[in-house]
Each structure stands twice: as C-alpha cells, then as structure tokens.
Amino acid sequence: MPTYSRGAILKKAHLGLNLLSFCFNWDNYALLPVLYPRVTSPHFANSTPEVYGWVGASFAIAAVFGSLLFGAWADKRGAREPLFVGQFIMIIGDVMTYLRLNAWWNILGGRIISGFASGSRTCCLWYLAKTTTGEERGQTIGNFYAAGM
C-alpha cells in the first residue's frame, strides 16, 4: 500500500473542495437562468415574474440559514461531516427541483433545500484555513473562490 505525503493528501483535498465550490455555485448561478423560461411559462397557474424572483431569492435566503447551521456543526464536529451531508442534501434538493418542472411550488421547495445545503460551503473555508500554512493560505483560498465564481 503506497504512502502519501501530507502535502499530496492536502493537495487532493483542496482540489476536492474547489470542485465542491464549483458545484455549489453552479447550482445557483448557472441553473437559475435555465429555470426562467419554465417558471414564467403559461404552464404555471401563477406565471408572474414575482414567482421567478422568489425562486431565485429562496436559494440565497436559505443559504444564509444553512451557513449558520453548518458553521456551528463544523465547530463542534469538524468540517468533513457537514460538507458530506450538505452535498447529499443539495442532491436531494436538485432532484426535487427538476423532478416536476410544471409545479412552481416544487421548484421553490427544491431551491430552498439546495440553498440551505449550499450553506455548508462555509465549512470549506474553515477546512482550508485549518490545513494550510500562512504562506499558502491566500493562494489556496483564492483558488477556492476562483473555482466557485
């Protein structure tokens, strides 16, 4: 069984966290424009721009509350567990969002669940700050944000 240095293991972990950052932001910024034609289509009983506004805002509002919960959880148990659970909850929210695209309440509920789970992104920063030295911290966190933007 090969042994890996601490630096090699952390490099793989940081790459994984950058991928998580990309996935969390992909769910918010890239998928929202895809939902606009569907949410404002005549198939919805309440096809107003306000519904689309709530679909977009619900993700961000839920992320605020999710970050508080996942941040407290990471303080008590470490960052790995909340990250895993957050990613799993986000998958559930995404499946719920796209399972029935003809019901605005289903899309709204899925976006709230996904937004809540994206709050676990704060645990990525906690993990990066904990595992890097002062010299490499700026570049590592910069890469994290660049992957997510």
Side-chain angles (χ1 to χ4, degrees), residues 12-33:
K12 288 181 182 182
H14 295 167
L15 179 65
L17 291 176
N18 288 339
L19 182 62
L20 271 178
S21 175
F22 177 77
C23 291
F24 285 142
N25 279 325
W26 175 267
D27 192 39
N28 189 26
Y29 300 121
L31 297 181
L32 194 57

Side-chain angles (χ1 to χ4, degrees), residues 73-82 123 126:
W73 188 1
D75 284 342
K76 290 185 185 341
R77 310 253 320 190
R80 290 182 187 179
E81 192 175 296
C123 301
W126 183 84

Side-chain angles (χ1 to χ4, degrees), residues 50-131:
E50 287 82 16
V51 172
Y52 178 70
W54 278 109
V55 166
S58 63
F59 187 94
I61 293 168
V64 169
F65 293 106
S67 65
L68 294 173
L69 176 83
F70 285 111
W73 188 1
D75 284 342
K76 290 185 185 341
R77 310 253 320 190
R80 290 182 187 179
E81 192 175 296
L83 279 172
F84 175 76
V85 172
Q87 190 69 21
F88 183 72
I89 293 171
M90 181 168 259
I91 291 169
I92 292 170
D94 287 344
V95 167
M96 184 178 167
T97 299
Y98 295 101
L99 195 60
R100 273 189 67 196
L101 281 175
N102 59 350
W104 67 268
W105 53 268
N106 196 45
I107 294 173
L108 185 64
R111 295 288 293 168
I112 290 171
I113 292 170
S114 293
F116 183 78
S118 77
S120 68
R121 187 172 185 246
T122 57
C123 301
C124 294
L125 292 173
W126 183 84
Y127 184 80
L128 289 173
K130 203 95 160 134
T131 58

